[in-house]
Structure formats: structure tokens, C-alpha cells
Amino acid sequence: MIRWYWAGVLALALLSFLSIFVGVIDLSLRGLWRDPEALRLIGISRFPRTIAAVIAGATLAIAGCVMQMLVRNRFVEPMTAGTGQGAALGILIVTIFAPQASIFLKMVLASGTALVASLGFLEIVRRLPPTQPLLVPLVGLVYGGIIGAGVVFVAYQADLLQFISVWLNGEFSGVLRGRYELLWLAAAGAALTYFAADQFAIVGMGRAVTTSLGLNYKQVVLVGLVAISLISSLTVVTVGIIPFVGLVVPNIISRLFGDNLRQTLPLVAMMGAGLTLASDIAGRLIRFPFEVPVGTVLGVVGAVIFLRLLYRTPRYA
Amino acid sequence: MFRAFALSLTVMTMPAFAETVEIDTYIGAAEVTVQPDRIAVFDIAALDTLDALGIEVDGVVSPLSVDYVSDTAEGADPVGTLFEPDYEAIAAGGYDLLIAGGRSSRVVPELSEVASTIDMTIWEDTVGQGLARLNAYGEIFGKQDEAAALQVTFEDALDAAKAAVADEGSALIVMTNGPTVSAYGANGRFGWLHTALEIPEAVEAVEQATHGEAISFEFIRDANPDVLIVIDRAAAIGQEGDAAAMTLDNVLVHETAAWSNDKVIYLNSANVYIANGGMQSMTQIVSQFATKFAD
């Protein structure tokens, strides 16, 4: 296990290093120490982008992992539960009613609506019969679809359909100092889930087991869902919807190392971060000096991995 | 009554076989009956030019996206949206001529089954095709003089703009969309801003792409354009340029010559994007350049 931790840390460090030196403006390692311009560029653009990819990837993977535990279904991720649509709704509302608001303020407000949408989902889920775990993702899809339909209707009327879809398309090209800091909140949220890791792992074994082990099932689920909503809403409004990370990474880790979340969550985080960072670097290089959105790169890579997972199913997890 | 009289006058003054006129459309030359009685319009650029010519429209799509054509569209019957014509309404409307183009060009075959249809798409050569459409409408509706006058107005405005930007240096066309930016080149859908106004490109590698190339702010700083032409995707609502300025207002863009010399020009996205090639749209845009860069 320790071996894998080190491998993860090493890979992540390597990718971060690459990420800092890949970009449109030339940056050489040699001149770095003498060149204040280069350090400034790293501070303004490269470091925020690298850290944004790391946080977004890691937190989305963790959110996916926790959600899969909570609803006991391996093919669920938060984006299929109305969070993304809630964020879209917020961006739409704030664009229509307060177009003068700064981008950061828009992000804060949209995170709010995404959180409200997620809490709405939570309220619905609490009323579902606990014996039917599959209802949760299904209801999530329907719920997200309804909010999404409303967003599309209003956006179409206001001629903002493309605006919304481009805003929500996951990419890091807009990340600069001052435009990503909300992600630190998501990181804090993800870090907090680590303290409840054991509880989530137990909830993953079912309500009966959880209760007989003396845990308050409802309370653990509530804490988990709030954490998930917070993480995904902040990620969506800051960098857009990044597909597959929350779905694929927890599955791979779970197959390799099982479901002891206290041990595996760091691996989940590192793999999510690495996958996202690698995709972003690839997106910056494929059509240099232009960009391919990370959402597009991951859409392709993630789909391939996901299909592989579906076809090779050692269902012991 | 008057219309019938006017029509018979036109018919009489022309040779008997000239009830139709040959015009250039996007898909080649077409024979069109002159002075059609009832027309429906499925393209905003077409509506823009017809509005400029003072031609009445009996059916029109909605939403219009640009505000300056609303008086012409006011009395017209709805015939669906740009992407989805309402065939029932069109069949019931008894139109003599349907004018499609751009976003509605793919439904031209279907529209042709209902009534005589022309595809007036303006695409590769915005200015050239825009003027060709203007003259075609002039021919069809017997408004050749008005069309010629509009062409002169536009060309004067274009010359003024050209003179104004002549010594401004190179430019980069970007479209802002929320927090992100994409770039357009001289071959893209807004390329006529480079070619017609004769502004050199700050970056020559931007390929021909309908939706632009996603770029980073580092790209803009590295390109360091003297002029930044900004198309604000969110300007459909609110003050134009506001949201775009917010997106571009960052340390990297501040370092470009364009930003530090206040040579950033914000274009209304509906004008340049939806009504691209319409006479009023083009005249307004070049006038905006003339005003911005007048010394």
C-alpha cells in the first residue's frame, strides 16, 4: 500500500512539474531563478491552473467515491444528480439579472444554487424507500433532467444556450489567479470527508449493518451528500463539468484495493488529480497553441476506460 | 388595389417574359417571380437587409435576436424558429416566396415543397455575398435604386472605417463566453473584419473554424495584438461589452498593447453573429470601428 502512495505522489509531482512548464508563453527552467517575469507568470497563470486541475480532479474522484458508497451503486456520480444543472441555473439567473456582477461573484452565486439543487435532491432521496437503492440514481437523473429542461427553456428564450453550454464545458483555459480560489473550499470539503471515511465505508455495507454497528445511518448519508454537493457545485462553476473522473477512478481503485476508504481515499484523490492533470496537459499540447477542453479529452479517454470496466467485471467489490 | 395597379404597371412596362428575374443564391442562380405578394423570412441577415430596403414581410421567424428589425417584423405572422419552421403555418399562410439562409438553409428542401424558396445564405465572403443578396432583393422587389443607395452608404462607412484603422496595427478577434475565450482567424466566420477592413492578423495560424479555437489568456498576451476585437456572447442581454470586459479584465490581458492603449472594441454578438452579412448589421459594425478609431 505504502508503495502505491509513493508512486502516486511521484506521478503527481511529475505531472505538476510538466503542467507548470507547458503553456503558450515560453518558460525555461534555466532562466527561472533569475527571471522575475517567469516567476510572475507562474504565479498568475501556471500555478493556478495546475492546482485547479489537481483539486478539481481529486475532489471529483472523492465525491464520486463517497456517492457510490452512499447509494451502494458503482455507476453513479454526482453530476447525474442535478448538481450540474443547478449550477447552470445559477449562472443563467445571475447572467440575466446581474450581468454586471464579477465572474467570481457569479461563481459564488451559482455555487449557491447548485447547493440548493443538491439539497433538494437530498430531500427527495430521504423520502425514498431505503430498500430500493437503484431508485436514487434514477430519481437523480429525472430530477436533473427537469432542472435542465427549465434551464434550456429560459436560455433558449434569452439566446444564452451556447453561453451556458460553453461555460459548463469543463476546461481550465480560463483559470487565472483570482478565478479559481473557490476550489480551495472544495478541497477543504474533500479533506473533511477523509475524517468520516470509516463511516462511509460502513454505510457502503448497507443500512442494517450500519445501524447494528451503532451508526446513525441517516446522519452519515446526510453529511456525505452535503459534502458531495459542495464539492461538485464548486467544481462545476469554477471549471465546468468534467466527465468520468468521479465514475472511473473510484471503480478502478475499488477493484485494485477494495473499499477500505481510510486507506483508499488518498489513492482515489491522487488518481483523480493525475488523470485530470494529464488530460489538461494533453489538451494544451494536442493543438498547441490552441486548447482542447479537458472535458473533451476526458470524454474520450474516460469513455474508453469506462467501457473496459464494464466488459471486464470481476464483481467482488 | 394600389398594389395590383403597381404590379400591372411593372408587368406592362417590362417585356412579357420578364415576370421572373434571375438572381444569385447560395446554391446557384435561380429564377424568381418579381414582386411576390406575400413573403416569409427565415434568416435574420435577410430580414435585416429587407428591413433596410423598406420591404414588407408577411411571415417571420422568432426570436429575432436583433432589435432593429422589430418594426418590420411586428405585423408579420409567426412561421416558427430559425431552426424549426412551422410548416402548418407556412402552408396556411399562402406565401409566394420563402427566403431562407444561414441557420435555416438546411430546411430549404422542405420549404421548397411548400412554396417557392430561395437560399440566401451568407457565408464564406460576408461582404461580397451580403451585397449580392442586397442587389438580388433589389431586383426581386423592384428596389434597385434603394439597393444601390444602401450599397453606397455601406461602402462609404467601410472606407471611413478602413481609413480609421489603417495605422492601428494588427488585431485579434476573440469571442468571450463566460470565463473562457476563443479566437477567430481571417478565414473564419468573422474573417471579413480582417479582410474587408484590411486589418492584419496578430496571429496567422488561427484556422478556419465555425466556432473558433479555444485559447488561454496566455495566448492573448503572447499574441500581443494592437487591437482586440471582442465579440461578447452574453451581450444578448444587458449592456454589450460588460461581461466580455469582465472576462478580459485580468493581469495577462492588461499587458497587451490593445488593452493598455484602450484599443479594445466590443461588438454586439447578435449583430455580428446572428445577422452576419445583413446590410444594417455590417454598416453598424464598420461604423463602430470608424468611431472607435477616429483620431
Side-chain angles (χ1 to χ4, degrees):
Chain A
M1 208 72 197
I2 292 293
R3 209 154 42 95
W4 286 102
Y5 282 166
W6 282 113
V9 170
L10 201 69
L12 210 52
L14 202 69
L15 284 169
S16 306
F17 179 78
L18 259 179
S19 171
I20 289 205
F21 287 94
V22 170
V24 176
I25 299 174
D26 278 336
L27 200 64
S28 76
L29 188 56
R30 209 173 301 152
L32 195 59
W33 313 114
R34 277 169 279 132
D35 186 3
E37 265 305 295
L39 286 175
R40 226 181 110 254
L41 178 70
I42 290 179
I44 294 166
S45 156
R46 302 291 169 82
F47 176 74
R49 184 164 183 158
T50 304
I51 203 76
V54 167
I55 296 179
T59 55
L60 282 178
I62 288 177
C65 186
V66 172
M67 184 153 202
Q68 287 172 12
M69 282 290 141
L70 294 185
V71 304
R72 304 184 68 202
N73 186 309
R74 282 276 164 217
F75 299 111
V76 178
E77 68 162 328
M79 287 312 150
T80 55
T83 308
Q85 288 86 352
L89 183 69
I91 291 168
L92 191 65
I93 291 173
V94 79
T95 307
I96 290 176
F97 291 107
Q100 271 83 1
S102 75
I103 288 179
F104 196 76
L105 189 63
K106 281 181 182 167
M107 286 174 173
V108 172
L109 292 172
S111 302
T113 55
L115 196 60
V116 169
S118 308
L119 290 175
F121 176 63
L122 195 66
E123 272 307 299
I124 300 172
V125 167
R126 281 156 59 107
R127 285 170 174 74
L128 292 175
T131 46
Q132 308 244 331
L134 272 180
L135 267 182
V136 175
L138 279 177
V139 166
L141 284 176
V142 174
Y143 178 73
I146 292 172
I147 302 179
V151 170
V152 168
F153 178 75
V154 177
Y156 180 79
Q157 298 292 327
D159 192 26
L160 287 172
L161 211 49
Q162 290 181 351
F163 175 76
I164 291 294
S165 62
V166 173
W167 184 311
L168 292 183
N169 186 11
E171 64 173 315
F172 293 105
S173 67
V175 172
L176 288 176
R177 193 173 61 205
R179 302 247 167 112
Y180 81 101
E181 279 77 359
L182 279 175
L183 282 177
W184 287 107
L185 271 181
L192 285 178
T193 61
Y194 186 69
F195 293 103
D198 294 333
Q199 275 92 324
F200 294 137
I202 291 170
V203 163
M205 290 183 246
R207 190 188 182 107
V209 177
T210 313
T211 315
S212 66
L213 284 175
L215 275 179
N216 185 335
Y217 180 83
K218 269 188 179 171
Q219 198 181 324
V220 178
V221 171
L222 181 80
V223 168
L225 282 176
V226 168
I228 293 166
S229 319
L230 191 72
I231 291 171
S232 20
S233 58
L234 291 171
T235 325
V236 170
V237 294
T238 322
V239 295
I241 292 175
I242 300 176
F244 288 115
V245 174
L247 194 61
V248 165
V249 173
N251 271 292
I252 295 174
I253 297 293
S254 160
R255 281 180 193 204
L256 293 174
F257 306 104
D259 279 334
N260 181 353
L261 292 196
R262 185 162 295 283
Q263 276 186 17
T264 58
L265 267 187
L267 284 175
V268 168
M270 283 192 284
M271 188 171 177
L275 188 61
T276 311
L277 198 51
S279 302
D280 183 46
I281 294 170
R284 270 182 269 175
L285 290 174
I286 293 170
R287 302 230 337 99
F288 188 85
F290 309 111
E291 305 227 349
V292 178
V294 71
T296 313
V297 178
L298 267 172
V300 176
V301 178
V304 173
I305 303 177
F306 187 57
L307 281 176
R308 251 189 98 76
L309 287 174
L310 278 180
Y311 281 112
R312 302 179 53 235
T313 36
R315 292 173 197 261
Y316 66 85
Chain B
M1 187 62 210
F2 174 75
R3 189 180 273 165
F5 179 66
L7 187 66
S8 58
L9 253 185
T10 345
V11 172
M12 275 193 296
T13 51
M14 283 189 243
F17 55 84
E19 291 157 324
T20 66
V21 64
E22 191 178 273
I23 56 149
D24 262 345
T25 72
Y26 188 66
I27 44 181
E31 288 285 319
V32 180
T33 314
V34 294
Q35 303 285 12
D37 189 28
R38 284 175 63 76
I39 62 166
V41 181
F42 298 85
D43 178 41
I44 306 301
L47 188 64
D48 169 318
T49 302
L50 293 172
D51 179 68
L53 283 168
I55 291 163
E56 255 184 57
V57 173
D58 306 285
V60 75
V61 288
S62 75
L64 295 168
S65 306
V66 292
D67 49 8
Y68 55 83
V69 290
S70 46
D71 50 331
T72 292
E74 207 169 334
D77 297 326
V79 288
T81 69
L82 279 176
F83 294 97
E84 274 185 81
D86 181 348
Y87 294 102
E88 298 280 331
I90 301 164
Y95 297 106
D96 303 305
L97 181 66
L98 307 180
I99 300 173
R103 290 153 187 83
S104 62
S105 68
R106 61 178 186 88
V107 294
V108 165
E110 287 87 341
L111 289 172
S112 308
E113 288 179 20
V114 188
S116 167
T117 305
I118 46 175
D119 183 349
M120 299 303 253
T121 300
I122 295 165
W123 191 240
E124 297 85 0
D125 168 21
T126 306
V127 174
Q129 289 176 345
L131 290 174
R133 303 293 173 258
L134 171 70
N135 290 315
Y137 299 135
E139 297 283 327
I140 298 172
F141 296 97
K143 298 239 182 194
Q144 288 91 339
D145 296 345
E146 288 88 338
L150 282 173
Q151 177 156 0
V152 170
T153 311
F154 169 69
E155 277 166 356
D156 287 349
L158 181 60
D159 287 339
K162 254 193 245 176
V165 299
D167 48 4
E168 294 293 347
S170 65
L172 179 69
I173 306 176
V174 297
M175 179 185 271
T176 62
N177 215 325
T180 58
V181 184
S182 44
Y184 291 80
N187 293 318
R189 78 198 287 174
F190 309 122
W192 69 277
L193 296 173
H194 280 299
T195 49
L197 290 165
E198 292 167 10
I199 312 174
E201 289 178 89
V203 182
E204 301 216 339
V206 184
E207 279 187 31
Q208 175 165 3
T210 310
H211 292 289
E213 297 271 9
I215 54 166
S216 56
F217 295 109
E218 283 189 25
F219 182 96
I220 300 179
R221 204 207 81 170
D222 201 47
N224 193 16
D226 301 308
V227 172
L228 197 55
I229 303 171
V230 183
I231 296 156
D232 182 357
R233 192 64 192 81
I237 40 112
Q239 256 335 84
E240 86 195 38
D242 270 356
M246 220 97 69
T247 302
L248 293 173
D249 188 1
N250 63 59
V251 194
L252 289 176
V253 176
H254 288 176
E255 287 171 6
T256 61
W259 188 279
S260 46
N261 301 327
D262 189 25
K263 302 286 185 190
V264 184
I265 180 165
Y266 298 97
L267 303 179
N268 180 315
S269 73
N271 262 8
V272 66
Y273 193 79
I274 311 281
N276 201 19
M279 290 315 297
Q280 300 182 64
S281 153
M282 287 199 297
T283 310
Q284 282 176 18
I285 289 165
V286 295
S287 306
Q288 207 181 330
F289 274 91
T291 317
K292 173 81 187 174
F293 297 108
D295 303 304

